[in-house]
Amino acid sequence: MRLVFAGTPDVALPSLDALLGSRHEVVAVVTRPDAPAGRGRRLAPSPVAERAVAAGVEVLKPARPRDPDFLERLAELAPDCCPVVAYGALVPRAALDIPRHGWVNLHFSLLPAWRGAAPVQHAVLAGDEVTGASTFLLEEGLDTGPVFGLVTEAVRPTDTSGDLLGRLAVSGAGLLAATLDAIEDGAAAPTPQPAEGVSLAPKLTVEDARLDWSQPAFAVDRRARACTPAPGPWTTFRGERLRLGPVRPQPDAPALAPGELVVDRAGARVGTATVPVLLGEVQPAGKRLMGAADWARGVRPEPGERLG
């Protein structure tokens, strides 16, 4: 089939690579416009745009996918199907109607669970033990289309969202390629999503990533892992924001008051509503990422001094 692939961040690259190496022909890529990146905040192309250019594939960067020039070019390309992975913009009906087999979305959840922009983060936050990826026919509704196939993935106790998304990007790429093969062969039979089990996964904000030390240790642990690497868990110390990495509950450690910071030979520990958690890495405002114990020894917390 002739394909126009839509995607933007790194997580879409395994799927693009799989399709470039498949029996199908990727005739163009659609991605978000160049955006500021790095310390200099200079405009830079998306990872998908860079990979497509390296592969000699045409790149389309519409400001909005309803722009007439984009729709005209998409129609000229005459794709049979448009696979999409984390494109980052809603696809309007005028674009959905162009390919004869529609747009096939790879979504990183077991639909109808966690429809929305941040399915992996919400799966970690909720403490799901199993998640997965789904391919489905894109509709104008939010991740509501009929499902072609699923792959499952166990959520490990120490998984961050970044860890889990990395594995799903690879297994999902295989699912997407197999789905397109089945569509071309006439063997695909999408199934409507059940009405039961629907949950939503809106994008997590910076405020969502603030750790609440009055919560039990398991909840602090889940929030820290769900928000790693983005938007990044954080707290405050002496009125300044302190970015954190994942934490680890310490069920055998002496009890501490919620937010109380102690540093000793075991490391830097913080109290919660239940057991303390061990901090991993921290990044004070304007400084580099460093080990939490080194940071804590440097700031010399007073007895009873607290984070948050």
Side-chain angles (χ1 to χ4, degrees), residues 20 26-27 50-59:
L20 287 170
V26 180
V27 297
E50 289 187 323
R51 186 64 55 88
V53 169
V57 174
E58 178 180 349
V59 178

Side-chain angles (χ1 to χ4, degrees), residues 46-263:
S46 74
V48 164
E50 289 187 323
R51 186 64 55 88
V53 169
V57 174
E58 178 180 349
V59 178
L60 307 175
K61 303 177 183 178
R64 298 179 306 167
R66 64 178 67 253
D67 289 347
D69 290 348
F70 166 70
L71 294 174
E72 182 179 353
R73 180 58 187 148
L74 186 62
E76 290 173 352
L77 289 165
D80 297 302
C81 188
C82 292
V84 53
V85 183
Y87 168 48
L90 294 177
V91 180
R93 170 53 60 190
L96 293 176
D97 289 340
I98 289 176
R100 63 190 178 102
H101 291 301
W103 292 58
V104 175
N105 193 0
L106 174 64
H107 187 74
F108 296 112
S109 82
L110 298 175
L111 290 171
W114 304 129
R115 292 173 177 169
V120 175
Q121 290 90 334
H122 281 272
V124 174
L125 191 59
D128 290 357
E129 295 181 350
V130 176
T131 185
S134 310
T135 50
F136 70 97
L137 188 63
L138 201 64
E139 300 177 339
E140 288 184 281
L142 180 64
D143 302 331
T144 56
V147 172
F148 289 104
L150 306 168
V151 291
T152 60
E153 181 73 38
V155 182
R156 300 169 184 166
T158 59
D159 268 341
T160 65
S161 291
D163 298 331
L164 188 53
L165 191 55
R167 297 202 302 276
L168 288 172
V170 173
S171 61
L175 172 65
L176 181 61
T179 299
L180 296 175
D181 289 350
I183 289 173
E184 184 178 47
D185 294 341
T191 303
Q193 295 184 33
E196 299 78 23
V198 174
S199 51
L200 300 179
K203 183 177 180 179
L204 294 181
T205 67
V206 171
E207 193 55 39
D208 291 328
R210 183 172 189 168
L211 301 188
D212 181 355
W213 304 109
S214 69
Q215 294 290 307
F218 79 85
V220 174
D221 168 44
R222 286 181 189 171
R223 185 164 295 273
R225 289 187 290 112
C227 295
T228 299
W234 63 279
T235 185
T236 58
F237 180 68
R238 297 175 182 168
E240 298 286 333
R241 181 174 293 196
L242 183 68
R243 184 163 179 152
L244 305 175
V247 302
R248 194 165 71 236
Q250 302 287 283
D252 297 326
L256 296 173
E260 184 179 358
L261 173 65
V262 167
V263 58

Side-chain angles (χ1 to χ4, degrees), residues 244-248 268 277-282 289-295:
L244 305 175
V247 302
R248 194 165 71 236
V277 296
L278 185 70
L279 302 183
E281 293 182 312
V282 304
L289 192 68
M290 63 184 75
D294 293 338
W295 164 80

